[in-house]
């Protein structure tokens, strides 16, 4: 294959990969977040209590994290296409089942089942991105892909609210995403690809002559078993564990911000459902800005140093949280703008923690590294379920807000420790 044909093939497949993975994760989010968006009406119709809702969220995130961990170990050995298309089909089927149920118990079972399936989505995507985009450019590409979280997160409450308003039935908030997910399953089956070497292409580091990527390739031993690679490059890596701790903090704040917004603003401040859910859309829109800018900033201004960039956005997050406290009783627009800032301060570190963990690992360990991260950090998401409900019951929402402030401070401290440890770390 001559150089011009090689470049054209590589570029075409890279765009194919980024578009397919972007659409896949957007659709997965639309299906996943339908539950939170429809929660106020769903709880009223089926008689689900607030504690049951919180417990369901906690169980969901624990199962999601466990699934992410186990699927991450497999993702480094299996073609992403064999993961993503079947996963999307099963998600669509489960969403239809949730929409049809009249039992709280059955709804909870199906909701937990979808957690297991949803957890299989990210590791193969992380693997594909690590294989098709090299170290010095990956921040920008990963930022572009990462906005799928925000597009899906923003569309989910808007689609659910619009469908419920049009039909008067919360069940269609699950049927419509199921149809969208089924269509995406077909697209993923057709367009998803494995690593470049499977198609007669060189490693992406060689193709781009990226010295940073070639260093990662060089330090990554070949011929290792999955367990030896996992133990040597991931399980005993202090940078990865510190980053997981920081990401856990992010997940607690993020999950409270997205899952409890409609409940708090409808029940406590007596906003209507559409207005309350619109704050989630503002939150996700801010996340798009944060995710896009953070990757580019880390690539262009910090030499692909993810950790220093994270610290900048930690202070953006704190500024948004403080802003909500001051504006919550003043005006909708000011509160919405603060949620926009929080979204930027959440999704930038979340994206960069994932990227930093991938790059601190083995060149072929993206699935396992992100799987471990997901298995642990979704404990943080689980802590934003039933424990938040219990804290609110015991100490009111003020107690919840104090807890979130303490977690934000912990996030800053952990990030500073990562920067210090990474600066002293010898090359692997």
């Amino acid at each position: 294959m001559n150089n011009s044909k090689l470049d054209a093939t590589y570029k075409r497949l890279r765009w194919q990969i980024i578009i397919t993975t972007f659409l896949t994760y957007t659709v997965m989010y639309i299906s996943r977040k339908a539950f939170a968006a429809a929660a106020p009406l769903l709880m009223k119709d089926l008689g689900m209590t607030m504690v049951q809702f919180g417990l369901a969220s906690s169980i969901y995130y624990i199962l999601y994290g466990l699934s992410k961990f186990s699927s991450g170990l497999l993702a480094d050995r299996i073609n992403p296409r064999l993961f993503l298309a079947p996963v999307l089909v099963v998600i669509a089927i489960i969403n239809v089942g949730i929409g049809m149920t009249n039992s709280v118990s059955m709804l909870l079972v199906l909701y937990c089942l979808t957690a297991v399936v949803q957890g299989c989505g990210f590791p193969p995507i992380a693997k594909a991105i690590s294989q098709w985009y090299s170290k010095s450019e990956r921040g920008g590409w990963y930022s572009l892909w990462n906005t799928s979280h925000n597009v899906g997160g923003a569309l989910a409450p808007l689609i659910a609210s619009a469908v419920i308003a049009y039909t008067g039935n919360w069940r269609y908030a699950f049927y419509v995403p199921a149809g969208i997910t089924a269509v995406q399953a077909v697209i993923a089956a057709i367009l998803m690809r494995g690593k470049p070497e499977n198609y007669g292409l060189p490693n992406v580091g060689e193709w781009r002559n990226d010295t940073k990527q070639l260093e990662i390739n060089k330090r990554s031993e070949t011929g290792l078993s999955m367990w030896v690679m996992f133990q040597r490059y991931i399980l005993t890596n202090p940078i990865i564990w510190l980053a997981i701790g920081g990401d856990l903090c992010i997940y607690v704040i993020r999950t409270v911000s997205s899952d409890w917004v409609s409940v708090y603003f409808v029940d406590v401040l007596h906003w209507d459902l559409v207005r309350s859910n619109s704050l989630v859309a503002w939150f996700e829109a801010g996340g798009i800005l944060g995710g896009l800018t953070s990757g580019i900033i880390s690539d262009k201004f910090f030499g692909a140093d993810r950790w220093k960039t994270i610290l900048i956005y930690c202070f953006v997050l704190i500024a948004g949280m403080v802003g909500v406290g001051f504006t919550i009783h003043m005006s909708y627009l000011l509160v919405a703008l603060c949620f926009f800032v929080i979204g930027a301060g959440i999704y930038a570190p979340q994206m960069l923690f994932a990227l930093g963990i991938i790059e601190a690992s083995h060149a072929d360990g993206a699935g396992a590294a992100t799987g471990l991260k997901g298995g642990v950090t979704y404990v943080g998401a689980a802590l934003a379920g039933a424990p938040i409900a219990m804290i609110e019951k015991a100490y009111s929402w003020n107690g919840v807000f104090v807890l979130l402030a303490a977690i934000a401070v912990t996030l800053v401290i952990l990030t500073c420790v990562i920067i210090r440890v990474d600066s002293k770390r010898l090359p692997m």
Side-chain angles (χ1 to χ4, degrees):
M1 187 181 294
N2 59 50
N3 288 339
S4 60
K5 187 176 180 181
L6 171 64
D7 290 347
T9 301
Y10 227 117
K11 290 175 182 178
R12 174 176 59 83
L13 290 177
R14 275 156 57 102
W15 277 109
Q16 189 169 310
I17 292 294
I18 204 71
I19 291 171
T20 304
T21 54
F22 180 95
L23 291 175
T24 295
Y25 219 67
T26 297
V27 166
M28 292 179 73
Y29 249 71
I30 290 172
S31 289
R32 183 192 310 177
K33 292 298 182 180
F35 187 83
L41 294 182
L42 183 154
M43 292 165 69
K44 183 178 180 180
D45 188 30
L46 297 184
M48 180 184 291
T49 67
M50 186 172 173
V51 172
Q52 285 176 319
F53 173 68
L55 181 61
S57 295
S58 293
I59 295 174
Y60 179 97
Y61 288 121
I62 291 172
L63 292 175
Y64 183 90
L66 292 173
S67 174
K68 208 169 185 180
F69 173 63
S70 57
S71 65
L73 296 175
L74 295 175
D76 291 324
R77 298 292 185 269
I78 301 177
N79 191 312
R81 181 187 295 182
L82 299 179
F83 260 78
L84 295 180
V87 161
L88 290 165
V89 170
V90 176
I91 289 172
I93 293 172
I94 294 173
N95 262 34
V96 171
I98 292 176
M100 295 177 65
T101 188
N102 290 306
S103 162
V104 172
S105 298
M106 180 57 67
L107 184 144
L108 295 179
V109 169
L110 291 172
Y111 184 59
C112 291
L113 182 60
T114 196
V116 176
V117 185
Q118 287 267 2
C120 297
F122 179 66
I125 290 176
K127 173 188 174 183
I129 292 175
S130 71
Q131 291 175 333
W132 285 91
Y133 308 94
S134 63
K135 164 79 172 177
S136 65
E137 63 167 352
R138 195 175 290 139
W141 284 102
Y142 200 85
S143 290
L144 177 62
W145 172 82
N146 196 65
T147 58
S148 61
H149 293 72
N150 315 106
V151 174
L155 288 176
L158 298 179
I159 290 173
S161 298
V163 168
I164 292 171
Y166 181 75
T167 65
N169 190 336
W170 60 265
R171 299 177 189 277
Y172 285 91
F174 294 93
Y175 295 149
V176 171
I180 297 172
T181 305
V183 171
Q184 181 57 29
V186 177
I187 295 173
I190 296 171
L191 298 180
M192 198 61 200
R193 293 291 183 270
K195 63 182 180 179
E197 291 87 338
N198 292 348
Y199 309 97
L201 301 172
N203 177 273
V204 67
E206 297 171 6
W207 176 63
R208 296 193 72 251
N209 194 27
D210 185 337
T211 56
K212 292 180 182 294
Q213 183 63 46
L214 292 174
E215 287 173 4
I216 294 175
N217 295 346
K218 185 177 179 180
R219 80 179 186 220
S220 300
E221 298 175 76
T222 58
L224 300 177
S225 68
M226 180 177 67
W227 170 246
V228 172
M229 183 271 290
F230 179 69
Q231 184 179 35
R232 188 173 300 175
Y233 286 87
I234 299 171
L235 201 59
T236 58
N237 190 329
I239 293 293
I240 288 180
W241 281 109
L242 286 166
I244 285 174
D247 205 35
L248 189 149
C249 294
I250 285 291
Y251 266 81
V252 174
I253 301 172
R254 171 193 153 188
T255 307
V256 172
S257 299
S258 60
D259 286 7
W260 287 101
V261 164
S262 62
V263 174
Y264 175 77
F265 280 87
V266 170
D267 291 350
V268 179
L269 299 184
H270 308 296
W271 289 20
D272 61 71
L273 183 64
V274 173
R275 199 183 193 198
S276 299
N277 278 333
S278 72
L279 292 178
V280 179
W282 280 90
F283 172 80
E284 299 293 347
I288 293 175
L289 178 64
L292 282 174
T293 56
S294 62
I296 296 170
I297 288 172
S298 67
D299 278 351
K300 302 298 182 183
F301 299 103
F302 290 97
D305 187 326
R306 315 306 177 190
W307 316 121
K308 293 176 183 175
T309 314
I310 288 173
L311 186 60
I312 294 172
Y313 284 91
C314 287
F315 291 110
V316 172
L317 168 61
I318 291 173
M321 294 172 66
V322 171
V324 170
F326 280 109
T327 64
I328 197 166
H329 297 293
M330 294 173 61
S331 79
Y332 164 78
L333 182 58
L334 289 176
V335 174
L337 288 174
C338 289
F339 268 88
F340 182 91
V341 173
I342 291 173
I346 283 286
Y347 279 98
Q350 177 188 301
M351 189 276 290
L352 291 174
F353 274 128
L355 191 54
I357 285 171
I358 289 171
E359 293 169 347
S361 177
H362 190 282
D364 295 323
T370 55
L372 176 63
K373 180 190 80 71
V376 177
T377 56
Y378 267 90
V379 172
L383 293 174
I388 291 296
M390 290 186 285
I391 290 171
E392 187 279 329
K393 187 175 182 179
Y395 302 103
S396 78
W397 282 101
N398 288 333
V400 176
F401 300 147
V402 170
L403 174 64
L404 295 179
I407 291 172
V409 172
T410 302
L411 171 63
V412 171
I413 294 171
L414 280 172
T415 305
C416 291
V417 173
I418 294 172
I419 293 171
R420 183 174 178 82
V421 172
D422 190 48
S423 67
K424 293 184 176 181
R425 188 173 60 140
L426 294 174
M428 296 180 67

